[in-house]
């Protein structure tokens, strides 16, 4: 399974079988236009959606909702020197219209004068927002897919009534190549087909490799470019946190390219700001559930990464407690579990439930750190008036007991 010359601890067994991007060797449903490689990923961020469009050529890209067209532009200049476009649209507009049109106009040469785009190609998509008054909101969580865009998709597709797809970090095995990063686009395309919301959280493997500093060109972010943010989907309010790497910045693995303590302190201040603005955030009218999403269970004492910045992580627990978070959705540990209070580091214990949401097998815990090809377990989460419940399910839709 491990190609010649790779280190012995290399464990991404799916990496050598993933087709080159844009080739449909896995039976993916093709889009209606040749310039759009995959179906859009409609990512919930703050008070809107950021629609990710993966193209097959350099082009102008926009999204039309009703009579209004939203463009991918930079200070008024339409972006063309990219294959990945991000178009931000207001949630109220898309939720109300329940339909959008993607517009792609190939432009090979963005020259000084008289650029000549080719005729615009369009694709129409219906959209299913989470209703504001929904009695039940159904999420499906995938984490640690590590470049596998096939098996985890089977697990999610075994739940056809899903309303929100959560991609909870380490979606690619690294950020080394565009093919690895765009695993998130392939999963979103195959599972949602552009028809319902996606939430993305960055994992520690997503911070590694040649393109790690460019990940935000491919992934949803806030207007300020951060990978942490709040979101609102019907009666569910949530916060995405980004813990960065799982070892101290000085670890020889990283070679001095990390500065995550400052990044975590920045998020502490962000959380305090949400608390100050609670009436417009998690105490806004209609909010019934509060969830948090973070790839790493930063307060889990079984792993050494809790000691990278324990004071900051303890503060996160305190702030999430104050916000009344009900459930924290995590990955990273390559197993499924419901964590009890006695496994948490720090003096202050969380008042929220913590779930480990993915295993690379059809079983609760990985076997000797090895992945089982063709197997995967994710988590279905149900937000109901009586509270938040969950079940772990494998690629065949079977419930996995822990």
């Amino acid at each position: 399974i491990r190609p010649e010359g790779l280190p012995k601890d290399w464990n991404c067994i799916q990496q050598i079988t993933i087709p080159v991007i844009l080739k449909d060797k896995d039976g993916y449903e093709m889009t209606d236009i040749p310039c759009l490689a995959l179906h859009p990923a409609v990512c919930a961020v703050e008070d809107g959606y950021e629609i990710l469009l993966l193209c097959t050529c350099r082009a102008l890209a926009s999204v039309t909702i009703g009579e209004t067209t939203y463009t991918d532009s930079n200070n008024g200049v339409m972006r063309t020197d990219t294959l990945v476009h991000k178009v931000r649209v207001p949630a109220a507009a898309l939720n109300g219209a329940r339909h959008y049109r993607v517009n792609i106009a190939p432009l090979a040469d963005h020259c000084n004068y008289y650029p000549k785009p080719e005729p615009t190609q369009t694709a129409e998509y219906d959209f299913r927002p989470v209703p504001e008054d929904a009695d039940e909101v159904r999420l499906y969580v995938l984490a640690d897919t590590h470049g596998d865009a096939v098996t985890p998709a089977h697990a999610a597709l075994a739940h056809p009534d899903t309303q929100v797809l959560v991609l909870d970090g380490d979606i690619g095995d690294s950020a080394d190549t565009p093919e690895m990063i765009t695993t998130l686009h392939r999963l979103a395309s195959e599972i949602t087909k552009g028809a319902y919301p996606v939430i993305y959280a960055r994992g520690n493997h997503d911070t590694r490799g040649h393109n790690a500093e460019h990940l935000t060109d491919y992934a949803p972010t806030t207007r300020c470019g951060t990978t942490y943010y709040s979101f609102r989907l019907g009666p569910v309010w949530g916060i995405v946190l980004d813990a960065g790497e799982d070892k101290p910045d000085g670890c020889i693995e990283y070679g001095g390219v990390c500065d995550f303590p400052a990044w975590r302190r920045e998020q502490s201040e962000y959380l305090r700001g949400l608390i100050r603005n609670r009436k417009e955030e998690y105490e806004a009218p209609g909010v019934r559930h509060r969830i948090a999403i973070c790839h790493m269970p930063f307060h889990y004492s079984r792993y050494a990464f809790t000691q990278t910045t324990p004071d900051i992580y303890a503060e996160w627990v305190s702030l999430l407690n104050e916000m009344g978070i009900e459930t924290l959705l995590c990955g990273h540990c390559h197993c499924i579990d419901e964590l009890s209070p006695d496994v948490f580091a720090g003096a202050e214990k969380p008042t929220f439930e913590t779930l480990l949401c993915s295993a690379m097998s059809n079983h609760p815990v990985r076997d000797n750190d090895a992945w089982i090809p063709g197997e995967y377990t994710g988590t279905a989460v149900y937000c109901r008036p009586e509270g938040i419940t969950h079940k772990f399910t494998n690629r065949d839709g079977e419930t996995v007991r822990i």
Side-chain angles (χ1 to χ4, degrees), residues 146-394:
H146 286 280
D148 183 355
V150 180
T151 310
H154 280 287
L157 290 169
H159 291 268
D161 61 348
T162 295
Q163 295 171 290
V164 181
L165 173 66
V166 179
L167 300 177
D168 196 358
D170 284 7
I171 301 305
D173 195 53
S174 70
D176 195 45
T177 65
E179 288 80 7
M180 269 292 133
I181 296 175
T182 52
T183 305
L184 77 92
H185 300 76
R186 301 205 68 159
L187 283 168
S189 174
E190 182 67 3
I191 296 166
T192 74
K193 296 180 171 55
Y196 60 85
V198 177
I199 299 170
Y200 170 77
R202 188 175 70 162
N204 61 302
H205 278 254
D206 302 322
T207 70
R208 301 175 183 178
H210 290 93
N211 287 285
E213 62 194 272
H214 304 297
L215 179 78
T216 52
D217 294 337
Y218 297 80
T221 61
T222 65
R223 292 175 179 85
C224 297
T226 64
T227 51
Y228 59 84
Y229 48 84
S230 66
F231 62 87
R232 174 77 183 273
L233 293 169
V236 176
W237 181 92
I239 175 74
V240 172
L241 292 171
D242 182 348
E245 266 293 2
D246 65 348
K247 303 175 188 67
D249 285 3
C251 176
I252 192 172
E253 276 191 35
Y254 307 149
V257 302
C258 296
D259 183 21
F260 285 116
W263 174 244
R264 297 173 190 129
R265 284 193 294 272
E266 185 179 309
Q267 291 174 76
S268 295
E269 182 54 41
Y270 177 71
L271 290 172
R272 287 191 286 269
L274 291 176
I275 292 172
R276 289 192 295 269
N277 196 36
R278 62 172 67 88
K279 294 299 182 182
E280 285 72 44
E281 293 285 348
Y282 55 87
E283 291 182 1
V287 172
R288 193 170 67 231
H289 301 287
R290 303 168 185 176
I291 65 173
I293 300 169
C294 186
H295 174 69
M296 291 199 305
F298 48 85
H299 50 343
Y300 189 11
S301 58
R302 175 180 170 187
Y303 291 98
F305 59 75
T306 59
Q307 299 306 311
T308 54
T309 45
D311 56 330
I312 299 175
Y313 288 153
E315 184 175 38
W316 285 14
V317 171
S318 176
L319 293 169
L320 293 178
N321 284 346
E322 184 175 350
M323 294 164 69
I325 294 297
E326 298 168 76
T327 301
L328 172 63
L329 305 174
C330 299
H332 190 65
C333 300
H334 295 195
C335 64
I336 52 173
D337 206 353
E338 303 158 350
L339 301 185
S340 60
D342 60 354
V343 301
F344 296 121
E348 183 164 0
K349 302 301 182 185
T351 57
F352 46 85
E353 173 187 50
T354 300
L355 300 178
L356 302 182
C357 294
S358 67
M360 280 55 145
S361 68
N362 289 343
H363 312 288
V365 182
R366 58 184 179 176
D367 181 20
N368 297 323
D369 290 338
W371 300 355
I372 301 177
E375 294 189 8
Y376 186 88
T377 298
T379 303
V381 177
Y382 306 93
C383 300
R384 296 169 173 145
E386 60 271 22
I388 297 177
T389 60
H390 67 276
K391 63 179 179 180
F392 305 115
T393 66
N394 63 25

